[in-house]
Short mmCIF file of all heavy atoms in Angstrom, two decimals:
data_model
loop_
_atom_site.label_atom_id
_atom_site.label_comp_id
_atom_site.label_asym_id
_atom_site.label_seq_id
_atom_site.Cartn_x
_atom_site.Cartn_y
_atom_site.Cartn_z
N VAL Y 1 -1.40 14.34 0.10
CA VAL Y 1 -2.09 13.35 -0.72
C VAL Y 1 -1.06 12.30 -1.14
O VAL Y 1 -0.08 12.62 -1.82
CB VAL Y 1 -2.73 13.97 -1.97
CG1 VAL Y 1 -3.41 12.90 -2.81
CG2 VAL Y 1 -3.72 15.05 -1.56
N THR Y 2 -1.27 11.06 -0.73
CA THR Y 2 -0.31 10.00 -1.01
C THR Y 2 -0.19 9.74 -2.50
O THR Y 2 -1.17 9.81 -3.24
CB THR Y 2 -0.75 8.69 -0.30
OG1 THR Y 2 -1.00 8.96 1.07
CG2 THR Y 2 0.32 7.63 -0.42
N THR Y 3 1.03 9.48 -2.94
CA THR Y 3 1.30 9.20 -4.35
C THR Y 3 0.36 8.11 -4.87
O THR Y 3 0.20 7.06 -4.24
CB THR Y 3 2.76 8.75 -4.55
OG1 THR Y 3 3.62 9.78 -4.04
CG2 THR Y 3 3.06 8.52 -6.02
N ARG Y 4 -0.24 8.35 -5.99
CA ARG Y 4 -1.25 7.43 -6.52
C ARG Y 4 -0.63 6.15 -7.06
O ARG Y 4 0.53 6.13 -7.51
CB ARG Y 4 -2.09 8.14 -7.58
CG ARG Y 4 -2.84 9.32 -7.00
CD ARG Y 4 -3.70 10.03 -8.01
NE ARG Y 4 -4.30 11.22 -7.41
CZ ARG Y 4 -5.44 11.24 -6.73
NH1 ARG Y 4 -6.12 10.13 -6.57
NH2 ARG Y 4 -5.91 12.38 -6.22
N ASP Y 5 -1.43 5.10 -7.02
CA ASP Y 5 -1.00 3.75 -7.38
C ASP Y 5 -0.37 3.71 -8.78
O ASP Y 5 0.72 3.14 -8.98
CB ASP Y 5 -2.20 2.80 -7.31
CG ASP Y 5 -1.81 1.35 -7.52
OD1 ASP Y 5 -1.61 0.95 -8.69
OD2 ASP Y 5 -1.73 0.61 -6.53
N HIS Y 6 -1.01 4.32 -9.76
CA HIS Y 6 -0.54 4.21 -11.14
C HIS Y 6 0.81 4.91 -11.35
O HIS Y 6 1.56 4.55 -12.27
CB HIS Y 6 -1.58 4.76 -12.11
CG HIS Y 6 -1.68 6.26 -12.12
ND1 HIS Y 6 -2.51 6.95 -11.28
CD2 HIS Y 6 -1.03 7.18 -12.88
CE1 HIS Y 6 -2.39 8.25 -11.52
NE2 HIS Y 6 -1.49 8.42 -12.49
N VAL Y 7 1.11 5.91 -10.52
CA VAL Y 7 2.39 6.60 -10.64
C VAL Y 7 3.53 5.65 -10.27
O VAL Y 7 4.56 5.59 -10.97
CB VAL Y 7 2.43 7.86 -9.75
CG1 VAL Y 7 3.80 8.52 -9.79
CG2 VAL Y 7 1.34 8.84 -10.17
N ILE Y 8 3.34 4.89 -9.20
CA ILE Y 8 4.37 3.93 -8.78
C ILE Y 8 4.45 2.77 -9.79
O ILE Y 8 5.55 2.34 -10.17
CB ILE Y 8 4.05 3.38 -7.38
CG1 ILE Y 8 3.99 4.53 -6.35
CG2 ILE Y 8 5.10 2.36 -6.96
CD1 ILE Y 8 5.26 5.33 -6.24
N ARG Y 9 3.30 2.29 -10.24
CA ARG Y 9 3.31 1.19 -11.22
C ARG Y 9 4.02 1.59 -12.52
O ARG Y 9 4.58 0.74 -13.20
CB ARG Y 9 1.87 0.74 -11.52
CG ARG Y 9 1.22 -0.01 -10.38
CD ARG Y 9 -0.14 -0.57 -10.75
NE ARG Y 9 -0.76 -1.22 -9.61
CZ ARG Y 9 -0.56 -2.49 -9.26
NH1 ARG Y 9 0.23 -3.24 -10.02
NH2 ARG Y 9 -1.14 -3.01 -8.21
N GLY Y 10 3.99 2.86 -12.83
CA GLY Y 10 4.66 3.32 -14.03
C GLY Y 10 6.17 3.19 -13.97
O GLY Y 10 6.84 3.29 -15.01
N ARG Y 11 6.73 2.94 -12.79
CA ARG Y 11 8.18 2.79 -12.63
C ARG Y 11 8.61 1.33 -12.52
O ARG Y 11 9.81 1.04 -12.43
CB ARG Y 11 8.64 3.54 -11.39
CG ARG Y 11 8.31 5.01 -11.39
CD ARG Y 11 9.05 5.73 -12.49
NE ARG Y 11 10.43 5.98 -12.12
CZ ARG Y 11 11.38 6.38 -12.95
NH1 ARG Y 11 11.09 6.54 -14.22
NH2 ARG Y 11 12.61 6.60 -12.53
N LEU Y 12 7.64 0.41 -12.52
CA LEU Y 12 7.98 -1.01 -12.39
C LEU Y 12 8.65 -1.52 -13.65
O LEU Y 12 8.23 -1.21 -14.77
CB LEU Y 12 6.73 -1.84 -12.09
CG LEU Y 12 5.92 -1.46 -10.84
CD1 LEU Y 12 4.77 -2.45 -10.64
CD2 LEU Y 12 6.81 -1.42 -9.60
N LEU Y 13 9.68 -2.35 -13.48
CA LEU Y 13 10.41 -2.95 -14.60
C LEU Y 13 10.03 -4.41 -14.79
O LEU Y 13 10.73 -5.14 -15.50
CB LEU Y 13 11.91 -2.81 -14.37
CG LEU Y 13 12.43 -1.38 -14.17
CD1 LEU Y 13 13.92 -1.38 -13.90
CD2 LEU Y 13 12.09 -0.52 -15.38
N PHE Y 14 8.95 -4.83 -14.18
CA PHE Y 14 8.49 -6.21 -14.31
C PHE Y 14 6.97 -6.20 -14.31
O PHE Y 14 6.34 -5.21 -13.95
CB PHE Y 14 9.01 -7.07 -13.16
CG PHE Y 14 8.77 -6.47 -11.79
CD1 PHE Y 14 7.57 -6.65 -11.14
CD2 PHE Y 14 9.76 -5.71 -11.16
CE1 PHE Y 14 7.34 -6.10 -9.89
CE2 PHE Y 14 9.54 -5.14 -9.91
CZ PHE Y 14 8.33 -5.34 -9.28
N SER Y 15 6.38 -7.32 -14.73
CA SER Y 15 4.92 -7.42 -14.83
C SER Y 15 4.44 -8.76 -14.30
O SER Y 15 5.23 -9.70 -14.14
CB SER Y 15 4.47 -7.26 -16.30
OG SER Y 15 4.93 -6.06 -16.86
N GLU Y 16 3.16 -8.82 -14.01
CA GLU Y 16 2.55 -10.07 -13.57
C GLU Y 16 2.66 -11.11 -14.69
O GLU Y 16 2.48 -10.80 -15.87
CB GLU Y 16 1.09 -9.84 -13.20
CG GLU Y 16 0.92 -8.94 -11.98
CD GLU Y 16 -0.54 -8.65 -11.66
OE1 GLU Y 16 -1.40 -9.05 -12.46
OE2 GLU Y 16 -0.81 -8.02 -10.62
N GLY Y 17 2.98 -12.35 -14.31
CA GLY Y 17 3.12 -13.43 -15.29
C GLY Y 17 4.55 -13.64 -15.77
O GLY Y 17 4.84 -14.63 -16.43
N GLU Y 18 5.45 -12.71 -15.43
CA GLU Y 18 6.85 -12.85 -15.83
C GLU Y 18 7.63 -13.66 -14.80
O GLU Y 18 7.22 -13.81 -13.65
CB GLU Y 18 7.50 -11.48 -16.01
CG GLU Y 18 6.93 -10.67 -17.14
CD GLU Y 18 7.61 -9.33 -17.30
OE1 GLU Y 18 8.39 -8.94 -16.40
OE2 GLU Y 18 7.37 -8.67 -18.33
N VAL Y 19 8.79 -14.16 -15.22
CA VAL Y 19 9.69 -14.88 -14.32
C VAL Y 19 10.38 -13.85 -13.42
O VAL Y 19 10.78 -12.77 -13.86
CB VAL Y 19 10.73 -15.69 -15.11
CG1 VAL Y 19 11.74 -16.34 -14.17
CG2 VAL Y 19 10.04 -16.75 -15.96
N VAL Y 20 10.52 -14.18 -12.14
CA VAL Y 20 11.16 -13.28 -11.18
C VAL Y 20 12.63 -13.07 -11.56
O VAL Y 20 13.35 -14.03 -11.83
CB VAL Y 20 11.07 -13.84 -9.74
CG1 VAL Y 20 11.84 -12.95 -8.78
CG2 VAL Y 20 9.62 -13.97 -9.31
N ASP Y 21 13.05 -11.83 -11.58
CA ASP Y 21 14.44 -11.50 -11.86
C ASP Y 21 14.91 -10.53 -10.78
O ASP Y 21 14.44 -9.39 -10.71
CB ASP Y 21 14.56 -10.86 -13.25
CG ASP Y 21 16.00 -10.69 -13.68
OD1 ASP Y 21 16.81 -10.22 -12.86
OD2 ASP Y 21 16.33 -11.03 -14.84
N ASN Y 22 15.82 -10.98 -9.92
CA ASN Y 22 16.27 -10.16 -8.81
C ASN Y 22 16.91 -8.85 -9.26
O ASN Y 22 16.80 -7.82 -8.58
CB ASN Y 22 17.25 -10.95 -7.93
CG ASN Y 22 16.56 -12.06 -7.16
OD1 ASN Y 22 15.38 -11.93 -6.80
ND2 ASN Y 22 17.26 -13.14 -6.90
N GLU Y 23 17.60 -8.88 -10.39
CA GLU Y 23 18.22 -7.66 -10.90
C GLU Y 23 17.16 -6.61 -11.23
O GLU Y 23 17.35 -5.42 -10.95
CB GLU Y 23 19.06 -7.97 -12.15
CG GLU Y 23 20.28 -8.82 -11.88
CD GLU Y 23 21.32 -8.09 -11.03
OE1 GLU Y 23 21.31 -6.85 -11.04
OE2 GLU Y 23 22.11 -8.77 -10.37
N LEU Y 24 16.06 -7.05 -11.80
CA LEU Y 24 14.99 -6.11 -12.13
C LEU Y 24 14.29 -5.59 -10.88
O LEU Y 24 13.85 -4.44 -10.85
CB LEU Y 24 13.97 -6.77 -13.07
CG LEU Y 24 14.46 -7.10 -14.48
CD1 LEU Y 24 13.33 -7.69 -15.32
CD2 LEU Y 24 15.01 -5.84 -15.16
N LEU Y 25 14.20 -6.42 -9.86
CA LEU Y 25 13.60 -5.97 -8.59
C LEU Y 25 14.45 -4.87 -7.98
O LEU Y 25 13.93 -3.83 -7.54
CB LEU Y 25 13.47 -7.14 -7.62
CG LEU Y 25 12.57 -8.31 -8.03
CD1 LEU Y 25 12.48 -9.33 -6.91
CD2 LEU Y 25 11.17 -7.84 -8.42
N LEU Y 26 15.76 -5.07 -7.95
CA LEU Y 26 16.66 -4.06 -7.38
C LEU Y 26 16.65 -2.79 -8.23
O LEU Y 26 16.65 -1.68 -7.70
CB LEU Y 26 18.08 -4.63 -7.29
CG LEU Y 26 18.28 -5.77 -6.29
CD1 LEU Y 26 19.69 -6.34 -6.42
CD2 LEU Y 26 18.02 -5.30 -4.87
#
């Protein structure tokens, strides 16, 4: 069973509407 969407989103350090930050992406 593939890891569910919300589990991965829970690890994101950025959100929609924010300015892109390469450090946060890495």
